């Protein structure tokens, strides 16, 4: 019966996997549960076929593994699979829905990330976690000191003034017991800051060894963090038809709710990768700060639009430039195809 298998829907999990296989006519051939250690041997016994998985943590690993076996693997967004679930949600129904959804001719798929891409993205995720921990520690130190009437200036880089006060045994404003407890937070803050410094150094090395990253860093508002995140998140520029499609993938285009021939556009859709979108918008704010009046078009944009709207518009434009440079080559000041940078 396995020779008749044409398409397989695989619902992955931590320990128990559900398989739903169908023939060329969509008729079920195999329905069974697999333990994690049985998945590889099961698919090695199958002739190469179409395999669908939901895009989720671990899906890229399994997609690469099954692809190396000769199968045609497709990753589907979970929200596109949900309409095909016919009954109550369970593993068997999910696997059947994946099997049916992957065969739709208009279905959209998620590109499979390579191991090297995920390596760099892990660095970014660890960096984000450490930044959240650093913010939590700084807020904790400020909040506890405020209980004793001690406050400090704003900005995280000025927290050193408060840490010196905690470590000063001659400070009568802070009780000894509280000083001893807060010293733990100060030590942890320094450890987190040291780890962030090392991670930033690793990202600089990644950017230095990547020609694509170096070219993206020629774009105003794109630095080491943004460049490495963009290159690692995008598999191939050809996955997108144009710069606008790439900007839409990042959620930087207007959300549409149109009907009856009447177009209705709202704010940005905020779909896709929120981390990349946030980095691009932060870069846009730096452009507005340092080149807000030196660039004529940017000055006119600031005069007729609020600051947040202008920041998103600049991020949208930056995303299109990023796609053009990755697709056609060149740098920001010397593109190989100037027409590719058009906003049309």
């Amino acid at each position: 019966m396995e020779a008749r298998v044409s398409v397989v829907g695989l619902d992955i999990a931590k320990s128990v996997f559900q398989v739903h296989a169908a023939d060329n006519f969509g008729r079920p051939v195999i329905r069974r549960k697999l333990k994690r250690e049985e998945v590889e041997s099961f698919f090695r016994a199958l002739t190469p076929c179409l395999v669908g998985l939901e895009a989720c943590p671990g899906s890229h690993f399994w997609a690469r593994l099954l692809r190396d076996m000769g199968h045609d693997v497709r990753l589907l967004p979970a929200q596109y699979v949900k309409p095909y679930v016919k009954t109550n949600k369970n593993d068997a129904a999910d696997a059947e829905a994946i099997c049916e959804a992957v065969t739709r001719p208009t279905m959209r798929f998620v590109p499979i990330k390579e191991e090297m891409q995920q390596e760099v993205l892990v660095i970014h995720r660890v960096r984000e976690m450490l930044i959240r921990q650093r913010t939590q520690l700084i807020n904790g130190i400020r909040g506890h000191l405020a209980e004793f009437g001690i406050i400090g200036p704003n900005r995280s880089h000025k927290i050193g003034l408060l840490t010196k006060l905690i470590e000063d045994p001659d400070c009568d404003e802070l009780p000894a017991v509280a000083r001893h407890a807060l010293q733990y937070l100060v030590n942890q803050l320094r450890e987190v800051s040291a780890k962030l410094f090392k991670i930033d150094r690793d990202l600089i090395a990644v950017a230095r060894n990547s020609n694509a990253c170096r070219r993206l860093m020629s774009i105003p508002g794109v630095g080491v963090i943004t460049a490495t995140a963009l290159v690692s998140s995008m598999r191939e520029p050809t996955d997108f038809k144009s710069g606008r499609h790439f900007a839409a993938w990042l959620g930087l285009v207007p959300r549409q709710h149109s009907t009856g021939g009447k177009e209705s556009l709202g704010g940005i859709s905020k779909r896709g990768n929120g981390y990349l979108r946030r980095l691009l918008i932060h870069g846009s704010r730096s452009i507005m700060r340092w080149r807000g009046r030196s660039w004529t078009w940017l000055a006119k944009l600031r005069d007729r639009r609020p600051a947040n709207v202008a920041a998103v518009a600049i991020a949208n434009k930056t995303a299109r430039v990023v796609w053009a440079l990755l697709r056609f080559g060149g740098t920001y000041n010397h593109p190989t195809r100037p027409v590719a940078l058009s906003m049309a």
Side-chain angles (χ1 to χ4, degrees):
M1 295 182 66
E2 293 183 356
R4 298 166 50 194
V5 172
S6 176
V7 57
V8 178
L10 177 63
D11 184 58
I12 66 175
K14 180 180 179 180
S15 302
V16 180
F17 293 59
Q18 182 72 38
V19 171
H20 183 96
D23 58 15
N24 289 327
F25 301 98
R27 293 175 299 200
V29 176
I30 301 175
R31 291 175 177 170
R32 58 177 294 190
K33 288 184 178 180
L34 297 174
K35 294 181 180 179
R36 187 179 184 91
E37 57 271 13
E38 298 174 341
V39 175
E40 183 174 353
S41 59
F42 173 82
F43 279 96
R44 288 193 183 279
L46 289 180
T47 56
C49 59
L50 177 63
V51 181
L53 300 87
E54 280 187 340
C56 62
S59 61
H60 294 277
F61 163 77
W62 288 108
R64 291 194 300 268
L65 181 63
L66 298 179
R67 183 187 60 186
D68 293 341
M69 298 179 189
H71 298 289
D72 182 11
V73 186
R74 307 288 179 87
L75 296 182
L76 296 83
Q79 63 268 30
Y80 293 162
V81 176
K82 186 177 180 180
Y84 294 92
V85 178
K86 299 183 179 66
T87 60
N88 297 324
K89 176 176 169 49
N90 54 65
D91 292 346
D94 289 344
E96 182 180 358
I98 294 171
C99 185
E100 184 172 349
V102 75
T103 60
R104 299 301 92 194
T106 58
M107 181 56 62
R108 298 179 181 180
F109 301 104
V110 177
I112 300 174
K113 287 185 174 62
E114 302 299 334
E115 187 172 333
M116 183 179 300
Q117 292 178 282
Q118 290 190 297
E119 287 179 0
V120 180
L121 291 177
V122 166
I123 299 177
H124 280 273
R125 295 190 184 102
V126 172
R127 181 178 182 272
E128 279 288 286
M129 181 179 294
L130 291 175
I131 288 177
R132 289 196 298 269
Q133 292 179 359
R134 184 181 63 180
T135 302
Q136 183 181 17
L137 291 169
I138 291 174
N139 291 340
I141 292 173
R142 290 183 183 274
H144 292 308
L145 290 179
E147 295 292 338
F148 299 97
I150 303 174
I151 61 173
N154 296 331
R155 302 300 180 111
S156 61
H157 65 274
K158 294 184 179 180
I159 192 65
L161 299 176
L162 296 179
T163 58
K164 290 180 180 179
L165 188 147
I166 293 173
E167 296 174 327
D168 184 7
D170 298 328
C171 179
D172 299 331
E173 301 177 65
L174 188 63
V177 175
R179 176 182 294 108
H180 179 72
L182 290 176
Q183 186 63 49
Y184 293 116
L185 297 184
V186 173
N187 294 338
Q188 188 173 355
L189 177 61
R190 287 175 176 166
E191 291 178 4
V192 170
S193 299
K195 293 175 182 177
L196 282 171
F197 176 78
K198 294 179 181 178
I199 284 181
D200 290 341
R201 189 170 56 187
D202 293 339
L203 289 176
I204 291 174
V206 171
R208 185 181 296 116
N209 296 327
S210 172
N211 179 50
C213 289
R214 293 197 302 270
R215 289 191 289 108
L216 290 187
M217 289 168 61
S218 66
I219 305 173
V222 177
V224 172
I225 305 299
T226 306
T228 53
L230 286 168
V231 172
S232 301
S233 300
M234 186 194 307
R235 190 191 64 167
E236 290 292 340
T238 53
D239 292 336
F240 306 94
K241 295 180 181 179
S242 65
R244 189 186 187 283
H245 284 80
F246 179 59
W249 181 67
L250 295 174
L252 289 170
V253 299
R255 182 178 62 255
Q256 186 176 105
H257 186 76
S258 303
T259 182
K262 182 178 180 180
E263 294 187 358
S264 177
L265 302 180
I268 60 173
S269 66
K270 294 185 179 180
R271 296 177 179 175
N273 195 319
Y275 178 65
L276 295 179
R277 183 171 59 251
R278 184 167 68 252
L279 291 178
L280 289 173
I281 291 178
H282 286 337
S284 301
R285 296 189 190 282
S286 68
I287 294 176
M288 293 169 59
R289 179 179 180 182
W290 297 108
R291 306 195 183 189
R293 293 299 168 184
S294 61
W295 288 358
T296 304
W297 67 269
L298 182 54
K300 293 180 179 179
L301 177 63
R302 290 291 308 276
D303 290 339
R304 69 177 187 269
R305 290 290 186 270
N308 289 337
V309 175
V312 173
I314 297 171
N316 191 336
K317 180 177 181 179
T318 302
R320 300 183 185 211
V321 175
V322 166
W323 177 85
L325 293 188
L326 293 178
R327 176 68 177 84
F328 302 109
T331 60
Y332 180 74
N333 293 322
H334 302 284
T336 57
R337 285 188 52 176
V339 67
L341 302 181
S342 174
M343 293 294 291

